[in-house]
Amino acid sequence: MFVSDCLSVSETGHLTIGGRDTIELAASFGTPLYVMDEEQIRSACRRYKASIDENYGGRGLVTYASKAFSCKEMCRIIADEGMGLDVVSGGELHTALSAGFPAGRIFFHGNNKTPEELAFALRENVGRIVVDNIYELELLSQMAKGTGKTAAISFRIKPGVDAHTHDFVKTGSIDSKFGLALETGEAFDAVKMALSLDNIRLIGVHCHIGSQIFDIDPFELSAEVMLGFMARVKDELGYEIGELNLGGGFGIKYIPEHDPVEYERYMKTVSATVRKVCAEKGLKMPFIVIEPGRSIAGPAGVTLYKVGGIKEIPGVRTYVSVDGGMADNPRYILYEAEYDMLIANKAARPKTQAVTVAGRCCESGDLIGENVMLQDVSVGDTLAVLATGAYNYSMSSNYNRLPKPAVVMVSGGEAKIVVKRETYEDVVRNDL
Ligand code: LLP
């Protein structure tokens, strides 16, 4: 019935998440409110891990891309599931380490890591620094030498694969700011250089072709291209790269019409491709890393808002304003992202009207959805926007000096705050 398994409707006709009544949660913790379901997060993690066990003999690691949703509690859950973690900034690294996440299972990404961030990663002995470009390789090598360390690296490579997704979240083709190009020989030169450098240990290659992808073909193709590159490195440089990181990007169901590929099918298909290409090219089967973000956090979240003013403009449209908007969910204004939503206190009733849900920011484009079907809506209702666990809290801002909402985690029937709601005092905390 809903886009996520953790959602249901109570006997009183209220939307529930993880068995908890969303109207009670909104009353206890206030709105806007992000609510996450721990079971849903853990079950996604376990499905990914099981798919590697079943299809690839367990010779792989699922690393959660923490940019999708990062806070200490999320890092604790991912650590507890025995997974790896992808971080893309000093802030994400600090969050992970302060939650006690094992540094050896952290992969540090980014197309322009600062020298301070590289020093931080080296100091903490992160598992892998995913080097994006030759400047970074040289810098890292010098810094490692200075501290007497050896940096374990992987290279971010653009496989030249076009993923069928929104232009802003495509990353695999040559015209991308991320990674080293294959076509121009840049990636090969980087590998050659890395092999000549002391203090650098080349362990793997990495690619990530985009996000919210529904097809398997681009993933298969990028695995083939990457293995082709690994074979060339073996043949011409006599070095066999042992780790292949295929990135994340697996799409989720935001609206009922979305039909994402099951991870099990993805892993089955990609494992078969890897097996076949390795046999053809005489390569050992590499250790596989995958980096799902959205598909782990996204379906586990809902955002709850209070409905304020309703403006019916005859012959034009009806605006339903809520007490949040682009500051807590910038995905509509950025990508015109579609969401399924409903009136949580009228969840069992049919949806009878098409409305535009507007946020409260000083910006006409601050919408959560246009032409969305909702139950008969009145002031004071609670609106639930579904599948908002990924790239909502993590991309939230204080625009208009709005304090960021709290994040509540529901687990085993209990609800606890994992990120406190900001106060006005928090908003001015760094002002001098
Ligand atoms: N690995 C790398 C290197 C990435 O850059 C990303 C996402 C992931 C893994 C995780 O991808 P996922 O499984 O979550 O699709 N803000 C956009 C999404 C940006 C994705 C950035 N990179 C959105 O809200 O749709």
mmCIF file of all heavy atoms in Angstrom, residues 55-104:
data_model
loop_
_atom_site.group_PDB
_atom_site.id
_atom_site.type_symbol
_atom_site.label_atom_id
_atom_site.label_comp_id
_atom_site.label_asym_id
_atom_site.label_seq_id
_atom_site.Cartn_x
_atom_site.Cartn_y
_atom_site.Cartn_z
ATOM 1 N N ASN A 55 25.637 -14.301 -3.903
ATOM 2 C CA ASN A 55 26.037 -14.241 -5.310
ATOM 3 C C ASN A 55 27.527 -14.115 -5.537
ATOM 4 O O ASN A 55 28.005 -14.333 -6.641
ATOM 5 C CB ASN A 55 25.350 -13.053 -5.995
ATOM 6 C CG ASN A 55 23.848 -13.205 -5.999
ATOM 7 O OD1 ASN A 55 23.330 -14.114 -6.616
ATOM 8 N ND2 ASN A 55 23.159 -12.332 -5.278
ATOM 9 N N TYR A 56 28.257 -13.745 -4.479
ATOM 10 C CA TYR A 56 29.682 -13.473 -4.697
ATOM 11 C C TYR A 56 30.513 -14.092 -3.579
ATOM 12 O O TYR A 56 31.613 -13.619 -3.271
ATOM 13 C CB TYR A 56 29.890 -11.950 -4.792
ATOM 14 C CG TYR A 56 31.124 -11.566 -5.571
ATOM 15 C CD1 TYR A 56 31.170 -11.705 -6.952
ATOM 16 C CD2 TYR A 56 32.252 -11.073 -4.921
ATOM 17 C CE1 TYR A 56 32.311 -11.365 -7.669
ATOM 18 C CE2 TYR A 56 33.399 -10.727 -5.625
ATOM 19 C CZ TYR A 56 33.421 -10.876 -7.001
ATOM 20 O OH TYR A 56 34.548 -10.542 -7.716
ATOM 21 N N GLY A 57 29.966 -15.111 -2.981
ATOM 22 C CA GLY A 57 30.698 -15.848 -1.957
ATOM 23 C C GLY A 57 31.188 -14.982 -0.808
ATOM 24 O O GLY A 57 32.200 -15.292 -0.176
ATOM 25 N N GLY A 58 30.486 -13.883 -0.551
ATOM 26 C CA GLY A 58 30.845 -13.031 0.591
ATOM 27 C C GLY A 58 32.125 -12.237 0.386
ATOM 28 O O GLY A 58 32.586 -11.565 1.305
ATOM 29 N N ARG A 59 32.700 -12.270 -0.842
ATOM 30 C CA ARG A 59 33.972 -11.562 -1.059
ATOM 31 C C ARG A 59 33.715 -10.095 -1.412
ATOM 32 O O ARG A 59 34.059 -9.615 -2.493
ATOM 33 C CB ARG A 59 34.780 -12.248 -2.169
ATOM 34 C CG ARG A 59 35.274 -13.643 -1.783
ATOM 35 C CD ARG A 59 36.545 -14.016 -2.505
ATOM 36 N NE ARG A 59 37.570 -12.993 -2.375
ATOM 37 C CZ ARG A 59 38.089 -12.304 -3.394
ATOM 38 N NH1 ARG A 59 37.654 -12.483 -4.614
ATOM 39 N NH2 ARG A 59 39.036 -11.422 -3.187
ATOM 40 N N GLY A 60 33.076 -9.430 -0.480
ATOM 41 C CA GLY A 60 32.761 -8.034 -0.751
ATOM 42 C C GLY A 60 32.364 -7.310 0.509
ATOM 43 O O GLY A 60 32.195 -7.919 1.571
ATOM 44 N N LEU A 61 32.235 -5.997 0.380
ATOM 45 C CA LEU A 61 31.856 -5.170 1.533
ATOM 46 C C LEU A 61 30.789 -4.173 1.090
ATOM 47 O O LEU A 61 30.938 -3.531 0.037
ATOM 48 C CB LEU A 61 33.093 -4.413 2.044
ATOM 49 C CG LEU A 61 32.882 -3.519 3.266
ATOM 50 C CD1 LEU A 61 32.600 -4.359 4.520
ATOM 51 C CD2 LEU A 61 34.106 -2.627 3.506
ATOM 52 N N VAL A 62 29.736 -4.069 1.890
ATOM 53 C CA VAL A 62 28.745 -3.033 1.629
ATOM 54 C C VAL A 62 29.158 -1.828 2.465
ATOM 55 O O VAL A 62 29.272 -1.925 3.690
ATOM 56 C CB VAL A 62 27.326 -3.476 2.043
ATOM 57 C CG1 VAL A 62 26.298 -2.443 1.586
ATOM 58 C CG2 VAL A 62 26.992 -4.842 1.488
ATOM 59 N N THR A 63 29.423 -0.708 1.813
ATOM 60 C CA THR A 63 29.756 0.503 2.563
ATOM 61 C C THR A 63 28.589 1.459 2.377
ATOM 62 O O THR A 63 28.168 1.724 1.245
ATOM 63 C CB THR A 63 31.052 1.164 2.059
ATOM 64 O OG1 THR A 63 30.866 1.564 0.719
ATOM 65 C CG2 THR A 63 32.237 0.232 2.129
ATOM 66 N N TYR A 64 28.079 1.962 3.471
ATOM 67 C CA TYR A 64 26.945 2.884 3.402
ATOM 68 C C TYR A 64 27.468 4.279 3.049
ATOM 69 O O TYR A 64 28.407 4.780 3.685
ATOM 70 C CB TYR A 64 26.216 2.882 4.752
ATOM 71 C CG TYR A 64 25.262 4.043 4.920
ATOM 72 C CD1 TYR A 64 24.144 4.158 4.102
ATOM 73 C CD2 TYR A 64 25.487 5.032 5.877
ATOM 74 C CE1 TYR A 64 23.270 5.229 4.238
ATOM 75 C CE2 TYR A 64 24.618 6.093 6.024
ATOM 76 C CZ TYR A 64 23.513 6.189 5.193
ATOM 77 O OH TYR A 64 22.660 7.251 5.320
ATOM 78 N N ALA A 65 26.866 4.918 2.058
ATOM 79 C CA ALA A 65 27.274 6.271 1.664
ATOM 80 C C ALA A 65 26.619 7.259 2.622
ATOM 81 O O ALA A 65 25.438 7.586 2.494
ATOM 82 C CB ALA A 65 26.849 6.546 0.222
ATOM 83 N N SER A 66 27.408 7.739 3.574
ATOM 84 C CA SER A 66 26.796 8.479 4.684
ATOM 85 C C SER A 66 26.279 9.854 4.278
ATOM 86 O O SER A 66 25.537 10.475 5.024
ATOM 87 C CB SER A 66 27.760 8.574 5.874
ATOM 88 O OG SER A 66 28.831 9.431 5.589
ATOM 89 N N LYS A 67 26.639 10.339 3.072
ATOM 90 C CA LYS A 67 26.084 11.618 2.619
ATOM 91 C C LYS A 67 24.558 11.558 2.554
ATOM 92 O O LYS A 67 23.896 12.583 2.639
ATOM 93 C CB LYS A 67 26.665 12.014 1.269
ATOM 94 C CG LYS A 67 26.193 11.197 0.101
ATOM 95 C CD LYS A 67 27.175 11.186 -1.050
ATOM 96 C CE LYS A 67 28.298 10.216 -0.735
ATOM 97 N NZ LYS A 67 29.331 10.163 -1.771
ATOM 98 N N ALA A 68 24.003 10.358 2.395
ATOM 99 C CA ALA A 68 22.541 10.231 2.285
ATOM 100 C C ALA A 68 21.872 10.638 3.601
ATOM 101 O O ALA A 68 20.835 11.306 3.606
ATOM 102 C CB ALA A 68 22.156 8.807 1.916
ATOM 103 N N PHE A 69 22.461 10.231 4.690
ATOM 104 C CA PHE A 69 21.940 10.602 6.018
ATOM 105 C C PHE A 69 23.021 10.262 7.032
ATOM 106 O O PHE A 69 23.327 9.094 7.246
ATOM 107 C CB PHE A 69 20.655 9.822 6.342
ATOM 108 C CG PHE A 69 20.200 10.001 7.769
ATOM 109 C CD1 PHE A 69 19.748 11.232 8.225
ATOM 110 C CD2 PHE A 69 20.234 8.938 8.670
ATOM 111 C CE1 PHE A 69 19.345 11.407 9.548
ATOM 112 C CE2 PHE A 69 19.828 9.098 9.992
ATOM 113 C CZ PHE A 69 19.387 10.339 10.426
ATOM 114 N N SER A 70 23.603 11.301 7.598
ATOM 115 C CA SER A 70 24.696 11.070 8.539
ATOM 116 C C SER A 70 24.380 11.687 9.882
ATOM 117 O O SER A 70 23.993 12.852 9.971
ATOM 118 C CB SER A 70 25.984 11.688 7.983
ATOM 119 O OG SER A 70 26.997 11.661 8.957
ATOM 120 N N CYS A 71 24.498 10.897 10.899
ATOM 121 C CA CYS A 71 24.486 11.379 12.284
ATOM 122 C C CYS A 71 25.114 10.252 13.088
ATOM 123 O O CYS A 71 25.336 9.159 12.553
ATOM 124 C CB CYS A 71 23.071 11.709 12.768
ATOM 125 S SG CYS A 71 22.001 10.286 12.977
ATOM 126 N N LYS A 72 25.429 10.515 14.331
ATOM 127 C CA LYS A 72 26.161 9.497 15.095
ATOM 128 C C LYS A 72 25.380 8.183 15.194
ATOM 129 O O LYS A 72 25.944 7.108 15.058
ATOM 130 C CB LYS A 72 26.466 10.020 16.494
ATOM 131 C CG LYS A 72 27.518 11.097 16.523
ATOM 132 C CD LYS A 72 27.849 11.361 17.975
ATOM 133 C CE LYS A 72 28.631 12.628 18.147
ATOM 134 N NZ LYS A 72 28.905 12.897 19.559
ATOM 135 N N GLU A 73 24.080 8.276 15.432
ATOM 136 C CA GLU A 73 23.293 7.052 15.611
ATOM 137 C C GLU A 73 23.303 6.216 14.329
ATOM 138 O O GLU A 73 23.400 4.993 14.374
ATOM 139 C CB GLU A 73 21.855 7.403 16.020
ATOM 140 C CG GLU A 73 20.959 6.210 16.289
ATOM 141 C CD GLU A 73 21.389 5.357 17.492
ATOM 142 O OE1 GLU A 73 22.330 5.741 18.216
ATOM 143 O OE2 GLU A 73 20.772 4.288 17.688
ATOM 144 N N MET A 74 23.230 6.896 13.186
ATOM 145 C CA MET A 74 23.252 6.151 11.919
ATOM 146 C C MET A 74 24.596 5.436 11.784
ATOM 147 O O MET A 74 24.646 4.272 11.366
ATOM 148 C CB MET A 74 23.023 7.122 10.759
ATOM 149 C CG MET A 74 22.854 6.431 9.433
ATOM 150 S SD MET A 74 21.349 5.420 9.383
ATOM 151 C CE MET A 74 21.439 4.807 7.698
ATOM 152 N N CYS A 75 25.676 6.125 12.146
ATOM 153 C CA CYS A 75 27.009 5.491 12.053
ATOM 154 C C CYS A 75 27.088 4.296 13.000
ATOM 155 O O CYS A 75 27.686 3.272 12.653
ATOM 156 C CB CYS A 75 28.108 6.507 12.372
ATOM 157 S SG CYS A 75 28.237 7.797 11.116
ATOM 158 N N ARG A 76 26.467 4.416 14.171
ATOM 159 C CA ARG A 76 26.489 3.278 15.117
ATOM 160 C C ARG A 76 25.750 2.076 14.529
ATOM 161 O O ARG A 76 26.200 0.936 14.643
ATOM 162 C CB ARG A 76 25.825 3.665 16.446
ATOM 163 C CG ARG A 76 26.672 4.565 17.305
ATOM 164 C CD ARG A 76 25.979 4.832 18.658
ATOM 165 N NE ARG A 76 26.418 6.122 19.147
ATOM 166 C CZ ARG A 76 25.668 7.218 19.270
ATOM 167 N NH1 ARG A 76 24.368 7.187 18.988
ATOM 168 N NH2 ARG A 76 26.184 8.348 19.690
ATOM 169 N N ILE A 77 24.628 2.348 13.897
ATOM 170 C CA ILE A 77 23.845 1.248 13.300
ATOM 171 C C ILE A 77 24.660 0.566 12.196
ATOM 172 O O ILE A 77 24.736 -0.657 12.126
ATOM 173 C CB ILE A 77 22.496 1.783 12.736
ATOM 174 C CG1 ILE A 77 21.595 2.262 13.883
ATOM 175 C CG2 ILE A 77 21.786 0.729 11.894
ATOM 176 C CD1 ILE A 77 20.337 3.001 13.434
ATOM 177 N N ILE A 78 25.290 1.369 11.357
ATOM 178 C CA ILE A 78 26.059 0.810 10.237
ATOM 179 C C ILE A 78 27.266 0.026 10.766
ATOM 180 O O ILE A 78 27.585 -1.055 10.263
ATOM 181 C CB ILE A 78 26.505 1.944 9.266
ATOM 182 C CG1 ILE A 78 25.274 2.664 8.693
ATOM 183 C CG2 ILE A 78 27.407 1.421 8.165
ATOM 184 C CD1 ILE A 78 24.321 1.812 7.874
ATOM 185 N N ALA A 79 27.893 0.548 11.807
ATOM 186 C CA ALA A 79 29.030 -0.173 12.414
ATOM 187 C C ALA A 79 28.540 -1.497 12.975
ATOM 188 O O ALA A 79 29.153 -2.554 12.767
ATOM 189 C CB ALA A 79 29.659 0.672 13.521
ATOM 190 N N ASP A 80 27.406 -1.451 13.639
ATOM 191 C CA ASP A 80 26.845 -2.647 14.252
ATOM 192 C C ASP A 80 26.471 -3.706 13.210
ATOM 193 O O ASP A 80 26.523 -4.898 13.476
ATOM 194 C CB ASP A 80 25.598 -2.202 15.047
ATOM 195 C CG ASP A 80 25.037 -3.313 15.878
ATOM 196 O OD1 ASP A 80 25.823 -3.934 16.611
ATOM 197 O OD2 ASP A 80 23.816 -3.587 15.777
ATOM 198 N N GLU A 81 26.113 -3.252 12.011
ATOM 199 C CA GLU A 81 25.788 -4.191 10.931
ATOM 200 C C GLU A 81 27.055 -4.735 10.263
ATOM 201 O O GLU A 81 26.972 -5.474 9.281
ATOM 202 C CB GLU A 81 24.883 -3.524 9.888
ATOM 203 C CG GLU A 81 23.459 -3.250 10.393
ATOM 204 C CD GLU A 81 22.681 -4.526 10.699
ATOM 205 O OE1 GLU A 81 22.926 -5.559 10.060
ATOM 206 O OE2 GLU A 81 21.826 -4.494 11.612
ATOM 207 N N GLY A 82 28.214 -4.309 10.735
ATOM 208 C CA GLY A 82 29.474 -4.840 10.205
ATOM 209 C C GLY A 82 29.839 -4.293 8.834
ATOM 210 O O GLY A 82 30.617 -4.900 8.101
ATOM 211 N N MET A 83 29.253 -3.146 8.476
ATOM 212 C CA MET A 83 29.484 -2.614 7.131
ATOM 213 C C MET A 83 30.611 -1.593 7.107
ATOM 214 O O MET A 83 31.145 -1.196 8.135
ATOM 215 C CB MET A 83 28.201 -1.946 6.622
ATOM 216 C CG MET A 83 27.091 -2.968 6.536
ATOM 217 S SD MET A 83 25.595 -2.498 5.693
ATOM 218 C CE MET A 83 25.654 -0.797 5.368
ATOM 219 N N GLY A 84 30.931 -1.141 5.900
ATOM 220 C CA GLY A 84 31.867 -0.043 5.733
ATOM 221 C C GLY A 84 31.091 1.265 5.644
ATOM 222 O O GLY A 84 29.848 1.276 5.633
ATOM 223 N N LEU A 85 31.837 2.373 5.583
ATOM 224 C CA LEU A 85 31.197 3.690 5.529
ATOM 225 C C LEU A 85 31.930 4.560 4.517
ATOM 226 O O LEU A 85 33.154 4.645 4.532
ATOM 227 C CB LEU A 85 31.264 4.346 6.908
ATOM 228 C CG LEU A 85 30.326 5.527 7.112
ATOM 229 C CD1 LEU A 85 28.896 5.033 7.375
ATOM 230 C CD2 LEU A 85 30.782 6.383 8.282
ATOM 231 N N ASP A 86 31.139 5.206 3.671
ATOM 232 C CA ASP A 86 31.700 6.156 2.714
ATOM 233 C C ASP A 86 31.510 7.549 3.304
ATOM 234 O O ASP A 86 30.400 7.909 3.692
ATOM 235 C CB ASP A 86 30.957 5.919 1.386
ATOM 236 C CG ASP A 86 30.801 7.110 0.461
ATOM 237 O OD1 ASP A 86 31.240 8.220 0.783
ATOM 238 O OD2 ASP A 86 30.215 6.907 -0.618
ATOM 239 N N VAL A 87 32.608 8.301 3.403
ATOM 240 C CA VAL A 87 32.508 9.701 3.848
ATOM 241 C C VAL A 87 33.100 10.568 2.744
ATOM 242 O O VAL A 87 33.950 10.123 1.985
ATOM 243 C CB VAL A 87 33.237 9.960 5.185
ATOM 244 C CG1 VAL A 87 32.702 9.074 6.296
ATOM 245 C CG2 VAL A 87 34.755 9.805 5.053
ATOM 246 N N VAL A 88 32.642 11.814 2.716
ATOM 247 C CA VAL A 88 33.071 12.672 1.616
ATOM 248 C C VAL A 88 33.561 14.033 2.123
ATOM 249 O O VAL A 88 33.762 14.958 1.347
ATOM 250 C CB VAL A 88 31.924 12.759 0.580
ATOM 251 C CG1 VAL A 88 30.764 13.594 1.065
ATOM 252 C CG2 VAL A 88 32.399 13.206 -0.770
ATOM 253 N N SER A 89 33.758 14.130 3.419
ATOM 254 C CA SER A 89 34.240 15.397 3.980
ATOM 255 C C SER A 89 34.793 15.128 5.370
ATOM 256 O O SER A 89 34.501 14.086 5.978
ATOM 257 C CB SER A 89 33.087 16.395 4.105
ATOM 258 O OG SER A 89 32.199 15.956 5.113
ATOM 259 N N GLY A 90 35.557 16.113 5.864
ATOM 260 C CA GLY A 90 36.051 16.016 7.234
ATOM 261 C C GLY A 90 34.902 15.923 8.230
ATOM 262 O O GLY A 90 34.995 15.221 9.241
ATOM 263 N N GLY A 91 33.804 16.607 7.931
ATOM 264 C CA GLY A 91 32.646 16.596 8.838
ATOM 265 C C GLY A 91 32.011 15.215 8.919
ATOM 266 O O GLY A 91 31.649 14.745 10.012
ATOM 267 N N GLU A 92 31.873 14.560 7.768
ATOM 268 C CA GLU A 92 31.308 13.197 7.797
ATOM 269 C C GLU A 92 32.283 12.237 8.482
ATOM 270 O O GLU A 92 31.867 11.328 9.208
ATOM 271 C CB GLU A 92 30.991 12.714 6.380
ATOM 272 C CG GLU A 92 29.733 13.364 5.804
ATOM 273 C CD GLU A 92 29.354 12.874 4.407
ATOM 274 O OE1 GLU A 92 30.056 12.005 3.834
ATOM 275 O OE2 GLU A 92 28.352 13.381 3.863
ATOM 276 N N LEU A 93 33.589 12.463 8.253
ATOM 277 C CA LEU A 93 34.585 11.603 8.904
ATOM 278 C C LEU A 93 34.535 11.803 10.421
ATOM 279 O O LEU A 93 34.539 10.829 11.196
ATOM 280 C CB LEU A 93 35.987 11.932 8.351
ATOM 281 C CG LEU A 93 37.156 11.171 8.960
ATOM 282 C CD1 LEU A 93 36.976 9.653 8.826
ATOM 283 C CD2 LEU A 93 38.488 11.583 8.305
ATOM 284 N N HIS A 94 34.441 13.050 10.832
ATOM 285 C CA HIS A 94 34.389 13.347 12.266
ATOM 286 C C HIS A 94 33.131 12.720 12.907
ATOM 287 O O HIS A 94 33.189 12.169 13.999
ATOM 288 C CB HIS A 94 34.403 14.864 12.482
ATOM 289 C CG HIS A 94 34.309 15.261 13.908
ATOM 290 N ND1 HIS A 94 35.356 15.098 14.801
ATOM 291 C CD2 HIS A 94 33.278 15.771 14.636
ATOM 292 C CE1 HIS A 94 34.979 15.505 16.000
ATOM 293 N NE2 HIS A 94 33.720 15.916 15.927
ATOM 294 N N THR A 95 32.023 12.811 12.191
ATOM 295 C CA THR A 95 30.772 12.221 12.712
ATOM 296 C C THR A 95 30.977 10.723 12.948
ATOM 297 O O THR A 95 30.631 10.193 14.008
ATOM 298 C CB THR A 95 29.612 12.432 11.703
ATOM 299 O OG1 THR A 95 29.520 13.815 11.400
ATOM 300 C CG2 THR A 95 28.280 11.942 12.258
ATOM 301 N N ALA A 96 31.566 10.063 11.944
ATOM 302 C CA ALA A 96 31.766 8.610 12.045
ATOM 303 C C ALA A 96 32.696 8.269 13.201
ATOM 304 O O ALA A 96 32.397 7.388 14.024
ATOM 305 C CB ALA A 96 32.337 8.087 10.729
ATOM 306 N N LEU A 97 33.820 8.980 13.276
ATOM 307 C CA LEU A 97 34.799 8.652 14.319
ATOM 308 C C LEU A 97 34.239 8.965 15.697
ATOM 309 O O LEU A 97 34.481 8.228 16.656
ATOM 310 C CB LEU A 97 36.111 9.415 14.078
ATOM 311 C CG LEU A 97 36.869 9.039 12.794
ATOM 312 C CD1 LEU A 97 38.048 9.977 12.574
ATOM 313 C CD2 LEU A 97 37.344 7.582 12.833
ATOM 314 N N SER A 98 33.460 10.051 15.797
ATOM 315 C CA SER A 98 32.939 10.353 17.136
ATOM 316 C C SER A 98 31.846 9.367 17.546
ATOM 317 O O SER A 98 31.513 9.276 18.723
ATOM 318 C CB SER A 98 32.495 11.812 17.302
ATOM 319 O OG SER A 98 31.890 12.278 16.163
ATOM 320 N N ALA A 99 31.319 8.622 16.573
ATOM 321 C CA ALA A 99 30.360 7.564 16.926
ATOM 322 C C ALA A 99 31.087 6.251 17.185
ATOM 323 O O ALA A 99 30.460 5.214 17.395
ATOM 324 C CB ALA A 99 29.360 7.390 15.787
ATOM 325 N N GLY A 100 32.418 6.278 17.092
ATOM 326 C CA GLY A 100 33.201 5.051 17.333
ATOM 327 C C GLY A 100 33.268 4.144 16.119
ATOM 328 O O GLY A 100 33.565 2.954 16.243
ATOM 329 N N PHE A 101 33.013 4.685 14.924
ATOM 330 C CA PHE A 101 33.059 3.843 13.724
ATOM 331 C C PHE A 101 34.509 3.426 13.459
ATOM 332 O O PHE A 101 35.410 4.271 13.484
ATOM 333 C CB PHE A 101 32.501 4.584 12.497
ATOM 334 C CG PHE A 101 32.113 3.652 11.396
ATOM 335 C CD1 PHE A 101 30.816 3.180 11.297
ATOM 336 C CD2 PHE A 101 33.056 3.180 10.490
ATOM 337 C CE1 PHE A 101 30.464 2.276 10.304
ATOM 338 C CE2 PHE A 101 32.715 2.275 9.500
ATOM 339 C CZ PHE A 101 31.411 1.830 9.409
ATOM 340 N N PRO A 102 34.772 2.131 13.188
ATOM 341 C CA PRO A 102 36.154 1.699 12.963
ATOM 342 C C PRO A 102 36.758 2.365 11.722
ATOM 343 O O PRO A 102 36.218 2.226 10.615
ATOM 344 C CB PRO A 102 36.029 0.181 12.740
ATOM 345 C CG PRO A 102 34.627 -0.180 13.051
ATOM 346 C CD PRO A 102 33.786 1.054 13.080
ATOM 347 N N ALA A 103 37.871 3.078 11.909
ATOM 348 C CA ALA A 103 38.476 3.861 10.815
ATOM 349 C C ALA A 103 38.857 2.981 9.629
ATOM 350 O O ALA A 103 38.764 3.401 8.484
ATOM 351 C CB ALA A 103 39.702 4.604 11.337
ATOM 352 N N GLY A 104 39.254 1.748 9.919
ATOM 353 C CA GLY A 104 39.703 0.853 8.845
ATOM 354 C C GLY A 104 38.609 0.517 7.852
ATOM 355 O O GLY A 104 38.883 0.053 6.748
#
